[in-house]
């Protein structure tokens, strides 16, 4: 494979470098295109444009492959602990026992939140969407930790990262409990990271908390499956906000806002609302299938399709199996799961979906498990954000360590040419 391409524009030939990745993907390096050929490229939604070179996550959309730092998602989801995966994504290797213990201890040291943040949380109306609250509280953390903005050395970086890994789970639990009208409590630093998240969320003030291992292992698996996904919309947002040196908390706050959208992480809430609407409508999946194919109807089959996967989303396959296990272990018979499976079967046999390579994605089945864990639909995307946190942090750290330039795309101007100002009385 040669490492050069030539571009012939108006009989002028320009040499462009080709970059080959470690999984043999090839990219045209256009970093000198404007200088050499006075040209830019345009690519709505960046469907064909790479924003960076990254060593964190590899996806193969055609083969349905997902790996974090070279480890398959199937192995990690079934064998690893979420905190191990967080360490792997952020620092590049699976931790030794000592490294994992230190990470866990350092997180516990930082898991107290200034009581004034509780006042800010309680000032929100109960009806406020949890993603909006989480995004603003994440940005608000800077007020209590101003050193997390100008991060210039490894120690500052480690401290800011650990503060976020420590405090976001508390904020998530408090947002959940406020919605339920429960007192905002801390967990128990004698517990593991995911066990503690479960206790912070589900403990009740009037009875002893008994850990449910089915709940903990379901949460652990879901958090791992959501932990990273290379340059998706919210991660790209974290990287571009971070590239202006806005600081880690502000960058992740922006990522949370981007994830909120129903075409992205907000889809898991939209899926369960869609499945419940179909259930209330007598389970008439065919009606919703035709709505999804009707171009005049804005309705889309939520939880289906993906920018990169043109085959099964490997995470959806794992979550589908886990949904069966969790509902069985918890003794829950939810008709929504059968509707989801029926919809999947119909779509995979429907030419419209087959032609467009639309398969279930990570959001299609995840809400069924969250619902079984008594998590309300408006909290589903918050759980997605909790899982994605180590991925966002890993990409922010990689962008800073690689000293990436500030993100500033160009454009093709299609507006008015030069014209003179006219006095208001003559307009
Ligand atoms: C996530 O990027 C990531 O990695 C994201 C994510 C992560 O881990 O970070 O994986 C998480 O965001 C998963 C996606 C969750 N979103 C949804 O489930 C919402 C429903 N899906 C779609 O809106 C859509 O599939 C997207 C947004 C996910 C992808 O959109 P693209 O790549 O821009 O594709 P497109 O909109 O250009 O669609 C191509 C065709 C169109 O039809 P034609 O114009 O060619 O006739 O497929 C159709 C679309 O109308 N189509 C759908 C559809 N998704 C695409 N038709 C019906 N239902 C759908 N869900």
């Amino acid at each position: 494979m040669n490492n050069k391409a030539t571009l012939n524009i108006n009989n002028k030939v320009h040499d462009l470098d080709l970059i080959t990745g470690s999984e043999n993907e090839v990219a045209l390096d256009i970093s000198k295109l404007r200088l050499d050929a006075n040209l830019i490229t345009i690519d709505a939604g960046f469907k064909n444009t790479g924003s960076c070179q990254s060593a964190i996550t590899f996806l193969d959309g055609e083969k349905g492959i997902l790996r974090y730092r070279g480890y398959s998602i199937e192995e990690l989801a079934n064998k690893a602990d979420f905190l191990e995966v967080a360490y792997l994504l952020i620092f590049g290797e699976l931790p030794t026992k000592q490294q994992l213990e230190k990470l866990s201890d350092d997180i516990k040291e930082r898991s107290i939140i200034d009581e004034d943040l509780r006042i800010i949380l309680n000032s929100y109306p109960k009806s406020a969407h949890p993603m909006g609250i989480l995004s603003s509280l994440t940005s608000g953390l800077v007020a209590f930790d101003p050193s997390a903005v100008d991060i210039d050395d490894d120690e500052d970086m480690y401290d800011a990262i650990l503060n976020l890994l420590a405090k976001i789970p508390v904020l998530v639990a408090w947002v959940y409990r406020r919605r339920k009208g429960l007192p905002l409590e801390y967990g128990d630093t004698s517990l593991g990271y995911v066990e503690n998240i479960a206790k912070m969320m589900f403990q009740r003030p009037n009875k002893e908390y008994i850990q449910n291992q089915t709940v903990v292992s379901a949460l652990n698996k879901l958090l791992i499956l959501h932990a990273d996904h290379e340059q998706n919309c919210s991660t790209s947002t974290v990287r571009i906000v971070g590239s202006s040196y806005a600081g880690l908390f502000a960058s992740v706050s922006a990522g949370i806002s981007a994830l909120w959208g129903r075409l992205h992480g907000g889809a898991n809430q939209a899926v369960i609302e869609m499945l419940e609407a179909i259930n209330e409508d007598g389970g008439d999946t065919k009606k919703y299938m035709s709505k999804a194919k009707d171009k005049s109807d804005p309705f889309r089959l939520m939880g289906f399709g993906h920018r990169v996967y043109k085959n099964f989303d490997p995470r959806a396959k794992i979550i589908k199996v886990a949904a069966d296990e969790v509902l069985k272990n918890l003794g829950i018979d939810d008709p929504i799961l059968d509707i989801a499976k029926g919809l999947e079967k119909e779509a995979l046999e429907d030419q419209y979906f087959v032609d467009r390579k639309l398969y279930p994605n990570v959001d299609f089945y995840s809400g069924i498990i969250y619902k079984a864990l008594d998590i309300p639909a408006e909290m589903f995307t918050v759980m997605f954000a909790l899982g994605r946190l180590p991925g966002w942090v890993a990409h922010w750290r990689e962008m800073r360590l690689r000293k990436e330039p500030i993100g500033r795309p160009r454009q093709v101007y299609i507006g008015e040419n030069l014209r003179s100002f006219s006095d208001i009385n003559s307009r």
Side-chain angles (χ1 to χ4, degrees):
M1 174 82 184
N2 63 18
N3 59 2
K4 288 274 183 208
T6 53
L7 184 63
N8 186 327
I9 299 271
N10 303 331
N11 296 321
K12 196 156 181 302
V13 175
H14 304 272
D15 283 340
L16 295 170
D17 291 334
L18 292 175
I19 296 172
T20 303
S22 52
E23 288 290 341
N24 299 317
E25 305 143 277
V26 181
L28 191 61
D29 180 349
I30 57 167
S31 51
K32 298 191 185 65
L33 188 63
R34 195 163 187 278
L35 194 67
D36 295 352
N38 194 26
L39 270 180
I40 65 167
T41 58
I42 192 127
D43 182 21
F46 309 113
K47 294 189 176 187
N48 307 281
T49 301
S51 60
C52 62
Q53 297 183 58
S54 177
I56 298 170
T57 290
F58 172 68
L59 297 190
D60 181 321
E62 283 64 39
K63 295 184 188 138
I65 292 173
L66 170 59
R67 297 187 200 133
Y68 297 162
R69 301 283 189 178
Y71 294 94
S72 77
I73 193 63
E74 291 80 6
E75 274 214 285
L76 293 171
N78 291 314
K79 296 179 183 171
D81 166 82
F82 179 56
L83 201 57
E84 261 182 314
V85 171
Y87 187 101
L88 171 68
L89 285 167
I90 297 168
F91 300 110
E93 296 296 337
L94 284 170
T96 62
K97 212 164 164 4
Q98 295 72 18
Q99 287 167 330
L100 189 59
E101 273 165 16
K102 180 177 182 325
L103 179 69
S104 176
D105 293 344
D106 290 351
I107 283 173
K108 290 173 182 176
E109 277 303 305
R110 295 166 171 81
S111 55
I112 298 296
I113 287 181
D114 191 297
E115 280 300 294
D116 286 352
L117 216 74
R118 199 193 285 256
I119 297 168
I120 300 170
L121 170 58
N122 286 330
S123 65
Y124 277 95
K126 274 223 172 74
S127 58
H129 196 287
M131 282 298 274
I133 301 176
L134 183 65
S135 177
S136 79
L137 292 183
T138 301
S139 199
L141 283 173
V142 169
F144 304 92
D145 182 6
S147 66
V149 180
D150 295 324
I151 290 167
D152 293 319
D153 62 35
D154 289 350
E155 200 182 321
D156 289 351
M157 189 175 278
Y158 184 78
D159 202 40
I161 289 171
L162 269 286
N163 266 312
L164 219 46
L165 293 176
K167 292 174 167 54
I168 295 293
V170 182
L171 292 179
V172 165
W174 283 4
V175 168
Y176 168 78
R177 295 177 73 85
R178 170 143 168 63
R179 203 163 182 83
K180 289 262 183 186
L182 290 167
L184 308 184
E185 292 168 2
Y186 280 99
D188 174 348
T189 53
S190 70
L191 297 175
Y193 193 74
V194 178
E195 288 83 356
N196 194 35
I197 289 169
K199 179 169 185 180
M200 283 194 286
M201 289 181 72
F202 303 123
Q203 68 187 336
R204 293 294 180 265
N206 57 352
K207 58 181 174 180
E208 188 200 353
Y209 178 72
I210 312 285
Q211 197 70 271
N212 180 325
Q213 208 43 52
T214 297
V215 170
V216 171
S217 50
L219 268 184
N220 185 67
K221 187 170 280 189
L222 282 170
L223 293 173
I224 290 172
L225 289 166
H226 286 83
D228 193 53
H229 216 237
E230 54 128 285
Q231 304 309 318
N232 59 84
C233 178
S234 53
T235 301
S236 299
T237 301
V238 169
R239 285 184 84 118
I240 202 164
V241 170
S243 73
S244 77
Y245 280 39
L248 176 59
F249 297 177
S251 305
V252 168
S253 167
I256 294 168
S257 296
L259 187 72
W260 190 358
R262 63 199 313 270
L263 294 186
H264 190 12
N268 56 16
Q269 174 180 346
V271 167
I272 215 80
E273 289 164 352
M274 172 186 76
L275 293 172
E276 282 172 348
I278 294 173
N279 191 35
E280 273 139 45
D281 205 359
D284 179 5
T285 50
K286 290 205 179 337
K287 172 178 154 189
Y288 287 82
M289 287 288 289
S290 47
K291 276 170 65 71
K293 296 185 285 186
D294 176 357
K295 289 300 168 201
S296 63
D297 189 327
F299 176 80
R300 286 198 155 184
L301 206 59
M302 301 314 279
F304 263 79
H306 198 276
R307 172 60 57 75
V308 175
Y309 289 123
K310 299 307 170 193
N311 193 324
F312 257 92
D313 181 334
R315 302 166 297 176
K317 280 186 185 173
I318 297 168
I319 295 176
K320 181 179 175 182
V321 170
D324 272 324
E325 287 163 2
V326 171
L327 267 63
K328 186 162 149 275
N329 292 349
L330 295 177
I332 296 171
D333 176 21
D334 188 345
I336 301 285
L337 180 56
D338 296 332
I339 290 179
K341 288 178 179 174
L343 212 48
E344 175 187 343
K345 187 173 179 307
E346 276 183 57
L348 297 181
E349 291 162 1
D350 183 293
Q351 211 51 49
Y352 173 95
F353 286 81
V354 171
D355 291 349
R356 292 164 180 80
K357 298 182 178 173
L358 303 177
Y359 291 87
N361 59 49
V362 66
D363 293 313
F364 190 60
Y365 286 103
S366 56
I368 290 164
I369 300 179
Y370 290 136
K371 184 167 171 258
L373 304 184
D374 191 26
I375 294 172
E378 300 82 5
M379 280 292 297
F380 289 2
T381 314
V382 169
M383 299 310 289
F384 191 146
L386 184 58
R388 187 51 54 89
L389 180 62
W392 285 332
V393 166
H395 282 274
W396 175 85
R397 181 172 181 268
E398 180 180 72
M399 177 274 304
R400 287 297 301 270
L401 293 182
R402 288 173 60 91
K403 298 189 179 355
E404 302 271 345
I406 185 169
R408 202 272 183 221
R410 303 304 295 255
Q411 64 165 22
V412 172
Y413 176 70
I414 53 172
E416 296 287 343
N417 299 115
L418 178 65
R419 51 184 173 163
S420 305
F421 182 80
S422 58
D423 183 81
I424 192 159
N425 299 316
S426 62
R427 286 177 208 158

